[in-house]
Amino acid sequence: MTYLWDDPATFADDALAGFCDLHADLVRQVPGGAVRRARPERPKVAVLPGGGSGHYPAFYGIIGPGLADGAVSGNLFTSPSAQDAYSVAKAAESGAGVVFSYGNYAGDVMNFGLATDRLRAEGIAVDNVVVTDDIASAPDEGQRRGIAGDFAVFKIMGAAAEEGVDLASVVRVGRKANERTRTIGTAFAGCSFPGAAEPLFQVPDGKMGLGLGIHGEPGLRDVPLSRARELAADFVRRLLAEKPADAGDRVAVLLNGLGSVKQEELLVLWRSVAALLRESGHVPVLPEVGELVTSLDMAGVSLTLTWLDDELERLWAAPASTPAFRRGRMADEPEPRAVADEQREVEPVARYAPASAESRQLADHVLGALRRVAAVLGEAEDELGAIDAVAGDGDHGRGMVRGIGAAVTAAEEAQRAGAGAGDCLAVAGDGWAARAGGTSGVLWGAGLRAAGEVLGDHAGGAEVAVKAVDALTSRIVSLGGAAVGDKTLLDALEPFRTELQDAVAAGAATGIAWTRAAEAADRAARSTAELVPRKGRARPLAERSIGTPDPGAVSTALIARTIGDYLTGEHR
Amino acid sequence: MTYLWDDPATFADDALAGFCDLHADLVRQVPGGAVRRARPERPKVAVLPGGGSGHYPAFYGIIGPGLADGAVSGNLFTSPSAQDAYSVAKAAESGAGVVFSYGNYAGDVMNFGLATDRLRAEGIAVDNVVVTDDIASAPDEGQRRGIAGDFAVFKIMGAAAEEGVDLASVVRVGRKANERTRTIGTAFAGCSFPGAAEPLFQVPDGKMGLGLGIHGEPGLRDVPLSRARELAADFVRRLLAEKPADAGDRVAVLLNGLGSVKQEELLVLWRSVAALLRESGHVPVLPEVGELVTSLDMAGVSLTLTWLDDELERLWAAPASTPAFRRGRMADEPEPRAVADEQREVEPVARYAPASAESRQLADHVLGALRRVAAVLGEAEDELGAIDAVAGDGDHGRGMVRGIGAAVTAAEEAQRAGAGAGDCLAVAGDGWAARAGGTSGVLWGAGLRAAGEVLGDHAGGAEVAVKAVDALTSRIVSLGGAAVGDKTLLDALEPFRTELQDAVAAGAATGIAWTRAAEAADRAARSTAELVPRKGRARPLAERSIGTPDPGAVSTALIARTIGDYLTGEHR
């Protein structure tokens, strides 16, 4: 959806005006688009990309030194008029001629063509570089549409013009860049115009439109949505099959988001693209990953390769400074010092206290209980996630599984090294906190460490268990700052703690007391469903959770019960 | 939706690895996050923002000179662990201490707090700057969550650290910046985790969640979706009500997109925000409009103001060079020359040929017919838009209305200036092409000009009408390159042309011949429903259009019929 507008009919004009206000130091609005505010010191070729709006930063977002001298901007997905192109060219030209550059669309070809005729009639040198990079749009290169590869062609022409060469030379490198540029894209979901109730087109659920154009033009076909690495493989394979005959192994790369694809998704995709290009013997040169040619809020992505020769590489690498794209060193930036890719040792080196034979024996049981908890939490992961998803981000199960897994690993290592029960439990806590992150991770990690420190070299026993649970609870309270009734894990932990204390005081054996306490925790966890989370706390959609128990309380009761079962021998 | 991933469980790790691969010259991955690759020449305070993933460019996207020395990065929407923070700090610190900075969330506060304890125990100077800018999250400033205002605080601390001041000074300016930073946000639609079938939260259709947090935390309330200028007014009013007591009138401004809001939408919103701030006597200083702190693919936007004093303004304006944010001049960039905001005259100055009285009289009829066509197209705008929306972008009606409106205006001006019929028609074409843009705009514009040139100083008559229509058709064919059967306006225009020619040759009067030709055009337009658009042509979703007539053919037939009615006196 496109959500923000004042008047759908003037959306493109309003966005251009906003841009020119925001970047008033750099650009100046003229009828039909915008031009650089600073006039060149001496005549230079004006590089003028253009086309319909809705593709930001194409086209006016890349006005600036080293790139465009101006941009011709039409209505949404509609070519600018010949008058627009004429007007921008008149404002931008400084005596060395003008080159219009745009994707190969009928309306653009006609309107820029008419403007060219009119400017030439006035004695201004003008030429056109039409971009045809979309390999999905037609078998014949000359018939292809222009999509994200636009950017590579504009960048290379902008750099050439900045070097001060003549119009014919700028056009020559632009056409060479276009001949060596190939793009393949895919769309996951359509885009919508401001004020439109429906998207311009839709992609069936679970599918993607391979080769779909940036205005929704037909592509190759709908195919099942694939994982990032499969998509990367398909893209790279299709582009390498189109490698120009005389091309070398150095390529400019654009991994371009169409609008609603997240930068983090592009970075995940980049990992596979980069690996595949390198495996194929190619060297990505200054790759760009981000939004370069978009389509309103379309969800989609495209991959562009420009096979470089020495000239194109120099121009691709040249500095540029525009609102949406910058390349090169800053004026005040220190030259980076080359350093070895050092990897400092930052994992804590575990040092274990000397342990008695009894404590080492108890360590085996600590480890056994942790393993049993890991198994039970693994089984409960999806259920805990579902409870958490009601009002949270649904990752409680995953976080607990990561944490207990790391705890078991750390405890195993300690046990192998001859550590006692206290150290095993303490490093289990360290492992949990290190690996799980989040609130539950740090609380369980610090709590287990506190319990381990109480356990120390003791050989076990009900009183020590009570003290260890006290320490764990105190640590969690002091760190987390929650009180009973706040709908947190404390609502299960505190009833567990008091019931254990009472049962042990009444003379119950550890296993019996623990089981009784676990039952209390279980009842308390279930009754958290009636609670409202503490006000003012940064918790997702707190009010939604009424009627659902707190996932932290549920997992706490589950851990308590599992350890109780272990202690009473049910699962040893 | 989040579409691209390899494994939902490792999405955040994979994105970080992709980032560190892409920017290997600048950053180096370490356990728990990333740090600058270049070690400082001499000890400097390490500024380390951090938090959960899913907020790119927060936090690792802003590593670089003038900003962050490293970033601590947790799992999606989950605080990093204390071990993560410790690890990144150890890799980044260079002898002058470390400052962690993060939004005020329980997990972050605890984990960074534990890492701080551990680092201090090793003798490393460490402090924390907690950001609390979200005015919607709590009345008490100390209780508020940190959202996009994070960026302003990080930027200012990064600049201070780059100046070489000590840890206490960096922390002091960071806290001052936080105390003077206020943010209000709104969400239009929720975000979704990789692999999740449902979004984390949803906003009811037609509503927006005012003040909703960047992880979906509860905000103020759901309110009806408003236009950009109303939203800007509400945002600015709420922020100005929170102006710090000692604040002046210079403000750093961040207009931040949460993920799926398009840059063009932000630019539209910026227009109103900028105007309102200036009206209130504020001066926006180096405003930033873009994605600075996101929430996966959430659709939403936030506005941040930081009231600047001289010190904060110097630091806000200082250069910075990071993958996602750069400020300052490039090393090789020429100093921009100040130029007057000149506005060259680029509108064509119309010069009309001397016209006979008969031709001036005919010009009245030309204008009358154009006005009638404008009225009919205005009535048909929605219908033409609906036909176009089946397979196109739905703007055919709007484009035609814009074009004919401009044509009428130009013809009226010519008529008032005493131009003849030929010139009136020719400048009507120029006006249409200039205003409408797109393919239909240029074709109708050039076609009318060609017809006008044939009409010249003639006084009218059937033979001239035939020749004018021939010229119009030829021009459209030569410009557009379409053939009959390609499902374009030519499929109505060519039958019209031949029928008109035949009827006139058979001796029919102009009005009769024209009406007969218009009937042929109408039949032909309707039968374009059965056609398939020409292959290889850049047309949206061509295959969808089967069963629907071509909108250009329909409007052509409508124009023909309207002129016929005018000629036969039905609507004069």
Side-chain angles (χ1 to χ4, degrees):
Chain A
M1 276 283 285
T2 296
Y3 295 92
L4 286 167
W5 69 87
D6 284 322
D7 177 353
T10 62
F11 179 84
D13 295 339
D14 294 344
L16 174 63
F19 178 84
C20 292
D21 176 286
L22 182 65
H23 299 288
D25 53 331
L26 299 171
V27 302
R28 166 167 90 75
Q29 189 169 358
V30 296
V35 298
R36 290 192 209 170
R37 181 168 295 283
R39 300 283 302 165
E41 306 257 338
R42 42 181 194 167
K44 79 175 279 287
V45 175
V47 175
L48 300 179
S53 287
H55 303 300
Y56 188 91
F59 298 93
Y60 48 74
I62 54 168
I63 297 175
L67 235 154
D69 294 87
V72 188
S73 190
N75 205 347
L76 288 173
F77 289 9
T78 302
S79 106
S81 70
Q83 174 70 21
D84 292 333
Y86 172 85
S87 154
V88 172
K90 289 286 279 185
E93 70 93 17
S94 60
V98 170
V99 53
F100 292 125
S101 190
Y102 44 89
N104 183 31
Y105 298 92
D108 293 296
V109 170
M110 281 189 273
N111 281 296
F112 284 104
L114 289 172
T116 298
D117 294 344
R118 188 166 160 202
L119 290 160
R120 283 183 182 152
E122 295 184 15
I124 296 171
V126 188
D127 214 332
N128 289 249
V129 172
V130 183
V131 183
T132 56
D133 59 314
D134 182 1
I135 64 169
S137 57
D140 175 358
E141 287 174 32
Q143 295 292 314
R144 289 175 175 175
R145 300 183 293 249
I147 51 174
D150 276 3
F151 178 83
V153 176
F154 303 156
K155 167 70 186 77
I156 282 165
M157 284 199 291
E162 213 70 51
E163 286 184 348
V165 300
D166 67 9
L167 178 61
S169 302
V170 173
V171 170
R172 182 184 57 75
V173 296
R175 293 201 178 129
K176 181 163 74 168
N178 179 56
E179 283 159 16
R180 301 163 75 94
T181 296
R182 306 281 187 276
T183 302
I184 177 76
T186 196
F188 309 120
C191 53
S192 64
F193 278 22
E198 295 293 323
L200 182 55
F201 66 93
Q202 285 175 312
V203 179
D205 273 357
K207 299 265 185 180
M208 57 184 180
L210 191 65
L212 207 90
I214 58 172
H215 314 99
E217 296 93 344
L220 298 174
R221 61 184 168 280
D222 289 345
V223 298
L225 198 57
S226 66
R227 292 292 76 78
R229 70 167 68 88
E230 280 91 48
L231 184 63
D234 189 55
F235 274 7
V236 169
R237 184 179 57 75
R238 287 175 188 274
L239 292 178
L240 295 187
E242 294 261 351
K243 181 171 179 167
D246 62 337
D249 56 6
R250 296 180 70 79
V251 283
V253 190
L254 306 174
L255 185 56
N256 176 59
L258 270 292
S260 288
V261 163
K262 177 81 190 148
Q263 183 73 12
E264 275 127 327
E265 297 177 83
L266 295 178
L267 292 169
V268 170
L269 187 60
W270 169 251
R271 280 193 85 185
S272 293
V273 167
L276 289 162
L277 287 174
R278 288 172 191 138
E279 277 168 27
S280 74
H282 285 83
V283 180
V285 177
L286 294 169
E288 283 295 321
V289 176
E291 294 188 352
L292 296 155
V293 177
T294 63
S295 293
L296 289 169
D297 60 325
M298 193 185 297
V301 63
S302 68
L303 178 65
T304 300
L305 299 182
T306 300
W307 276 269
L308 301 169
D309 61 12
D310 290 347
E311 180 181 51
L312 294 181
E313 181 161 343
R314 184 188 79 243
L315 298 167
W316 173 246
S321 178
T322 77
F325 174 82
R326 295 187 96 174
R327 170 162 294 163
R329 286 189 50 248
M330 308 289 297
D332 305 324
E333 190 175 330
E335 193 75 45
R337 273 210 293 152
V339 291
D341 199 0
E342 58 177 318
Q343 190 63 58
R344 297 190 189 191
E345 180 53 64
V346 290
E347 295 295 326
V349 177
R351 286 181 208 84
Y352 307 113
S356 63
E358 292 77 12
S359 181
R360 289 210 303 274
Q361 197 177 3
L362 184 60
D364 294 348
H365 291 305
V366 165
L367 187 53
L370 288 172
R371 284 179 178 141
R372 185 65 212 143
V373 169
V376 168
L377 286 175
E379 288 160 20
E381 177 177 347
D382 289 349
E383 189 195 331
L384 291 171
I387 296 172
D388 186 33
V390 172
D393 55 11
D395 70 345
H396 182 70
R398 192 179 298 165
M400 292 296 285
V401 167
R402 279 169 78 118
I404 188 68
V408 168
T409 303
E412 283 172 344
E413 195 179 301
Q415 185 230 24
R416 275 198 303 274
D423 270 345
C424 277
L425 201 53
V427 300
D430 295 346
W432 189 318
R435 186 82 187 105
T439 311
S440 65
V442 65
L443 293 177
W444 276 103
L448 290 186
R449 166 157 279 285
E453 284 167 2
V454 164
L455 200 54
D457 198 38
H458 287 286
E463 281 77 19
V464 171
V466 167
K467 282 184 187 156
V469 169
D470 279 352
L472 180 146
T473 309
S474 299
R475 189 78 180 107
I476 285 178
V477 168
S478 68
L479 257 182
V484 170
D486 287 349
K487 195 162 187 167
T488 70
L489 69 88
L490 193 67
D491 289 319
L493 184 59
E494 178 61 22
F496 173 83
R497 188 189 72 78
T498 51
E499 184 64 37
L500 181 71
Q501 192 170 41
D502 293 350
V504 168
T510 312
I512 303 299
W514 194 287
T515 300
R516 203 178 294 164
E519 285 161 6
D522 199 52
R523 285 191 301 275
R526 273 184 275 116
S527 67
T528 60
E530 293 152 33
L531 295 175
V532 185
R534 182 157 54 135
K535 279 182 75 171
R537 185 127 173 259
R539 300 192 50 185
L541 299 178
E543 61 268 32
R544 265 207 213 161
S545 77
I546 299 164
T548 305
D550 179 68
V554 171
S555 58
T556 300
L558 189 59
I559 291 169
R561 189 170 68 234
T562 305
I563 296 174
D565 291 349
Y566 183 88
L567 290 173
T568 54
E570 289 194 17
H571 290 278
R572 277 169 90 153
Chain B
M1 277 282 287
T2 296
Y3 296 90
L4 286 168
W5 70 85
D6 284 320
D7 177 353
T10 61
F11 180 83
D13 295 338
D14 294 344
L16 174 63
F19 177 84
C20 292
D21 176 285
L22 183 64
H23 299 288
D25 53 330
L26 299 170
V27 301
R28 166 167 89 79
Q29 189 169 359
V30 297
V35 297
R36 290 192 208 169
R37 181 169 295 282
R39 300 284 303 166
E41 305 258 339
R42 40 180 199 169
K44 78 175 278 287
V45 175
V47 175
L48 300 180
S53 287
H55 303 300
Y56 189 92
F59 298 92
Y60 50 74
I62 53 166
I63 297 175
L67 235 155
D69 294 86
V72 188
S73 191
N75 205 347
L76 287 173
F77 289 10
T78 302
S79 105
S81 70
Q83 173 70 20
D84 292 333
Y86 172 85
S87 154
V88 172
K90 289 285 278 186
E93 70 93 17
S94 59
V98 170
V99 53
F100 292 125
S101 190
Y102 44 87
N104 184 30
Y105 298 92
D108 293 297
V109 171
M110 280 188 272
N111 280 296
F112 284 104
L114 289 173
T116 299
D117 293 344
R118 187 166 159 202
L119 291 160
R120 283 184 182 153
E122 294 184 15
I124 296 171
V126 188
D127 213 333
N128 289 251
V129 172
V130 183
V131 184
T132 56
D133 59 313
D134 181 2
I135 65 170
S137 58
D140 175 357
E141 287 174 33
Q143 295 292 314
R144 289 175 174 174
R145 300 184 292 250
I147 52 175
D150 276 4
F151 177 83
V153 175
F154 303 156
K155 167 71 186 76
I156 283 166
M157 284 200 289
E162 213 69 52
E163 286 184 349
V165 300
D166 66 9
L167 178 61
S169 303
V170 174
V171 170
R172 181 184 59 74
V173 296
R175 293 198 177 130
K176 181 163 74 168
N178 179 56
E179 283 159 15
R180 301 163 77 94
T181 297
R182 306 281 188 276
T183 301
I184 177 76
T186 197
F188 309 119
C191 53
S192 64
F193 278 21
E198 294 293 322
L200 182 56
F201 66 93
Q202 285 175 312
V203 179
D205 273 357
K207 300 262 187 181
M208 56 183 179
L210 190 66
L212 206 89
I214 56 171
H215 313 99
E217 296 93 343
L220 299 172
R221 62 184 168 279
D222 287 345
V223 298
L225 199 57
S226 66
R227 292 291 76 79
R229 69 168 68 87
E230 281 90 48
L231 184 63
D234 189 55
F235 274 6
V236 169
R237 183 179 58 74
R238 287 175 189 274
L239 293 178
L240 295 187
E242 295 259 350
K243 181 173 179 165
D246 62 338
D249 57 6
R250 296 181 69 79
V251 283
V253 190
L254 306 175
L255 185 56
N256 176 58
L258 269 293
S260 288
V261 164
K262 176 79 191 149
Q263 183 72 13
E264 276 126 328
E265 298 178 81
L266 296 178
L267 292 169
V268 170
L269 187 60
W270 170 251
R271 281 192 83 184
S272 294
V273 167
L276 290 162
L277 286 174
R278 288 170 191 140
E279 277 168 27
S280 74
H282 285 84
V283 180
V285 178
L286 295 170
E288 283 295 321
V289 176
E291 295 188 350
L292 296 155
V293 177
T294 62
S295 292
L296 288 169
D297 61 324
M298 192 184 297
V301 61
S302 67
L303 178 65
T304 299
L305 299 181
T306 300
W307 275 270
L308 301 170
D309 60 13
D310 290 348
E311 180 181 52
L312 294 181
E313 182 162 342
R314 185 187 80 244
L315 297 168
W316 173 245
S321 180
T322 76
F325 174 83
R326 296 187 96 173
R327 170 162 292 164
R329 289 189 47 251
M330 308 289 297
D332 305 323
E333 191 175 329
E335 193 74 46
R337 273 210 294 151
V339 290
D341 199 357
E342 58 178 316
Q343 189 65 55
R344 297 187 189 191
E345 180 53 64
V346 291
E347 296 295 327
V349 177
R351 287 180 207 85
Y352 308 112
S356 64
E358 292 78 13
S359 183
R360 288 211 301 277
Q361 198 178 1
L362 185 60
D364 295 347
H365 290 305
V366 165
L367 187 54
L370 288 172
R371 284 180 177 139
R372 186 65 211 142
V373 170
V376 169
L377 286 176
E379 288 160 20
E381 176 178 347
D382 288 349
E383 190 194 331
L384 291 171
I387 295 171
D388 186 33
V390 172
D393 55 11
D395 71 347
H396 182 70
R398 192 179 298 165
M400 293 297 284
V401 168
R402 280 169 78 117
I404 187 69
V408 168
T409 303
E412 283 172 343
E413 196 181 299
Q415 186 230 27
R416 276 197 302 274
D423 271 347
C424 277
L425 202 53
V427 301
D430 295 347
W432 190 318
R435 184 84 187 104
T439 310
S440 64
V442 65
L443 292 178
W444 276 102
L448 290 185
R449 167 158 277 285
E453 284 167 3
V454 165
L455 202 53
D457 200 36
H458 287 285
E463 280 77 19
V464 171
V466 168
K467 283 184 188 157
V469 169
D470 279 351
L472 180 145
T473 309
S474 298
R475 188 80 181 107
I476 284 177
V477 168
S478 69
L479 257 181
V484 169
D486 286 350
K487 196 165 188 167
T488 72
L489 69 88
L490 193 65
D491 288 320
L493 185 58
E494 178 60 21
F496 174 82
R497 189 190 69 78
T498 53
E499 184 64 36
L500 182 70
Q501 191 172 41
D502 293 351
V504 169
T510 312
I512 303 298
W514 195 287
T515 300
R516 205 177 293 165
E519 285 162 6
D522 199 52
R523 286 191 300 275
R526 275 185 274 116
S527 68
T528 59
E530 293 151 34
L531 296 175
V532 185
R534 183 158 53 138
K535 279 181 75 171
R537 184 128 173 261
R539 301 192 50 186
L541 296 179
E543 62 268 31
R544 263 208 214 160
S545 77
I546 299 166
T548 305
D550 179 68
V554 171
S555 58
T556 298
L558 189 59
I559 290 168
R561 189 169 69 233
T562 305
I563 296 173
D565 291 349
Y566 183 86
L567 291 173
T568 54
E570 290 194 15
H571 291 278
R572 280 168 86 151

